[in-house]
Amino acid sequence: MPISPQAYRPEAKLLDLGDGFFDPVAPADFPETRLRFRNDRAAAQIGLDALTEDEWTRHFGRFEPLPGTLPQPFALRYHGHQFRNYNPDLGDGRGFTFAQMRDDRGRLMDLGTKGSGQTPWSRAGDGRLTLKGGVREILATEMLEALNVPTSRTLSLIETGEELQRGDEPSPTRSAVLVRLNHSHVRIGSFQRLAYHRDEAALRKLVGYTLRNLYDEDNDDPVRLLDLVVGRTARLAARYMAAGFVHGVLNSDNINVTGESFDYGPWRFAPTWDPAFTAAYFDHQGLYAFSRQPEAIHWDVMQLAVALRQIAESDPLVAALDQFGPRYQPEVTQAILWRLGVRPRDPDTDRDLVQATERALRTSGGGIDRFFFDAFGGELPGTYDEPWAEVRAALASYEPRKDRSHPYWSGEPCSMLIDEVEAIWAPIAEHDDWTALNAKVAVIRGMSQALAD
């Protein structure tokens, strides 16, 4: 197996938690494994980019164990609030964690699946993933990574040859198994489950595991953990807003403790700065609407504080939780300045620019991606008149953080609105033509290079 010993650093830290945190499972035996997407850029960061196609499909379609890591797949146990209603019957129902390793930054990473078969937590589900769902996750993760949002990455998508029945899309539809690379699958809901069962010993163990393995801190202080999670999730909320992204289902089982976005279902990018824009057709009350995402994530982190109350005093937990807002504000300022392509000046001036930008986007109804494309580097074209005068004046005092010499800036802004997602899927569904998807990924990665520091 062509794995570089310098780049491939396997781990099995999950086993330290013991079997009360997960269930050993077996992957589905799929009729076929046809490789559809292979992310060698991500694979290189964990030493797996030299795998042959046959090895790749054996590991990521048949789930042959990778050397030196977990001996078999494990379905994680967790609970969670779903649209503010507590559900104790959750857990990995169509996925599992099957490997851990260090990336090129030294972080502990998980390889997890989506669509790999039934587990004890599948309930009435078939444990499968539609091919369209896999394509949508590729597009979401590639776009978010390019826009500087901390996100899981889609490592692999393999078509599996089954016909699936789904009530919310034309059926039968094609099936797939997806592998994501994630900085932990430990969720807020993982702590909620232990609190629900009043298992203080297990709560302390999970706190220690998280601090040591995911934050590189040698302690087991639950208040310190909450403080770190508050900071990471405030950053996530801020970068969602700057990206114009709506996750759609910000339940507490979908928020991991490293503040890395993952598990993409009914996501959308907002075409305009519309506070009420929603991604999920079933979000009738707009609970997870575009402008309410910081509130939603803060509420989820509050549930972590409630769970940790069993092993820590209330006052320091409340004090840590109360820092979400004060941390979110500078994070959203920094995120929008990054997307504007300008260097920060001072907190008050920066905040004024961001507030002017949000007002102009909201009142003008202009496209989010178009504006940030045109404004990158700090100079608005002459076509931007009212209500952009305040933004233009504010930008005049800023220095660009990067020039516009990359070829991306000579074209059109890269967007990922729902109509284009459907247009990319249509030739796959009708003619098995993957050209549009591959071309879009190339354009997104070009944008990423143009935006990157």
Side-chain angles (χ1 to χ4, degrees):
M1 182 176 178
I3 290 178
S4 166
Q6 290 77 31
Y8 179 66
R9 300 164 57 192
E11 295 278 9
K13 296 293 186 181
L14 188 65
L15 300 179
D16 294 346
L17 286 171
D19 58 11
F21 292 83
F22 47 72
D23 295 277
V25 293
D29 184 13
F30 298 115
E32 63 181 60
T33 50
R34 298 182 65 191
L35 180 59
R36 294 304 196 176
F37 179 78
R38 168 174 171 154
N39 191 341
D40 277 325
R41 188 173 64 167
Q45 296 178 346
I46 53 173
L48 295 177
D49 53 315
L51 294 176
T52 66
E53 183 169 324
D54 178 63
E55 289 167 333
W56 188 279
T57 54
R58 290 206 315 268
H59 289 302
F60 304 140
R62 300 296 179 190
F63 299 100
E64 179 180 303
L66 287 160
T69 180
L70 301 177
Q72 66 187 110
F74 295 102
L76 302 183
R77 303 176 182 178
Y78 49 86
H79 290 180
H81 279 86
Q82 298 185 305
F83 287 84
R84 304 282 167 93
N85 296 305
Y86 194 75
N87 189 345
D89 297 318
L90 297 176
D92 282 336
R94 59 171 175 168
F96 50 62
T97 301
F98 73 96
Q100 291 183 300
M101 64 276 296
R102 300 283 169 181
D103 69 2
D104 56 2
R105 295 164 54 188
R107 300 182 304 164
L108 180 66
M109 306 297 290
D110 291 348
L111 290 184
T113 64
K114 193 172 183 179
S116 50
Q118 291 181 312
T119 77
W121 308 103
S122 298
R123 292 176 288 174
D126 62 11
R128 276 23 180 207
L129 170 70
T130 67
L131 183 63
K132 184 178 183 180
V135 168
R136 285 172 45 81
E137 187 142 338
I138 292 169
L139 293 170
T141 55
E142 290 283 333
M143 192 73 176
L144 288 173
E145 183 182 1
L147 291 175
N148 206 30
V149 177
T151 178
S152 64
R153 282 169 292 167
T154 304
L155 183 71
S156 172
L157 183 68
I158 291 175
E159 190 167 359
T160 54
E162 295 178 313
E163 292 189 339
L164 305 180
Q165 297 292 329
R166 292 292 186 266
D168 56 353
E169 61 180 280
S171 297
T173 189
R174 291 152 70 179
S175 60
V177 63
L178 179 143
V179 176
R180 69 165 69 101
L181 180 64
N182 221 83
H183 185 33
S184 172
H185 284 82
V186 176
R187 301 155 163 85
I188 288 174
S190 306
F191 291 85
Q192 290 181 279
R193 172 181 168 272
L194 300 176
Y196 179 89
H197 291 297
R198 308 196 67 80
D199 192 340
E200 294 185 8
L203 263 174
R204 293 183 188 280
K205 181 182 281 191
L206 187 57
V207 168
Y209 171 91
T210 303
L211 285 168
R212 289 181 176 84
N213 293 298
L214 306 178
Y215 284 102
D216 297 322
E217 297 213 357
D218 189 19
N219 68 77
D220 55 4
D221 180 2
V223 176
R224 176 59 176 161
L225 174 62
L226 181 63
D227 179 67
L228 291 165
V229 174
V230 164
R232 290 284 186 91
T233 53
R235 180 184 67 177
L236 174 63
R239 294 192 184 181
Y240 275 169
M241 298 304 293
F245 181 73
V246 184
H247 184 282
V249 189
L250 290 175
N251 297 329
S252 62
D253 58 303
N254 285 339
I255 305 294
N256 77 5
V257 292
T258 60
E260 190 174 74
S261 179
F262 77 112
D263 202 13
Y264 299 101
W267 59 268
R268 295 283 191 278
F269 282 90
T272 63
W273 201 274
D274 176 2
F277 183 82
T278 57
Y281 68 87
F282 46 82
D283 187 3
H284 303 296
Q285 305 304 315
L287 184 63
Y288 299 145
F290 177 47
S291 67
R292 296 185 68 183
Q293 291 182 116
E295 170 201 339
I297 292 174
H298 185 205
W299 192 91
D300 287 329
V301 178
M302 189 187 307
Q303 308 318 305
L304 175 61
V306 170
L308 294 175
R309 176 62 186 86
Q310 291 196 15
I311 57 172
E313 295 298 321
S314 293
D315 288 350
L317 289 171
V318 170
L321 187 65
D322 285 347
Q323 288 301 303
F324 187 93
R327 292 189 184 185
Y328 170 78
Q329 290 302 327
E331 287 285 359
V332 77
T333 298
Q334 182 182 46
I336 290 179
L337 291 180
W338 180 89
R339 199 164 180 199
L340 283 167
V342 296
R343 299 184 185 280
R345 289 187 56 201
D346 63 80
D348 290 340
T349 305
D350 295 343
R351 185 175 59 252
D352 289 345
L353 170 59
V354 166
Q355 290 176 349
T357 298
E358 291 178 346
R359 279 195 299 272
L361 279 167
R362 187 171 59 252
T363 58
S364 71
I368 294 173
D369 297 317
R370 177 86 255 176
F371 164 72
F372 282 115
F373 180 90
D374 290 343
F376 189 86
E379 187 172 342
L380 274 178
T383 52
Y384 284 79
D385 45 25
E386 292 297 333
W388 298 98
E390 186 181 8
V391 177
R392 184 189 304 282
L395 279 172
S397 63
Y398 280 82
E399 295 181 358
R401 67 170 174 85
K402 194 172 184 180
D403 64 31
R404 295 175 65 105
S405 60
H406 190 279
Y408 171 71
W409 301 113
S410 63
E412 289 294 310
C414 178
S415 296
M416 187 57 67
L417 304 182
I418 186 60
D419 288 348
E420 185 172 7
V421 175
E422 294 297 328
I424 289 170
W425 167 248
I428 296 173
E430 295 167 10
H431 312 295
D432 202 33
D433 181 355
W434 294 74
T435 306
L437 174 67
N438 295 331
K440 187 64 180 184
V441 169
V443 170
I444 294 170
R445 291 184 178 183
M447 177 181 70
S448 179
Q449 293 172 355
L451 292 173
D453 292 314

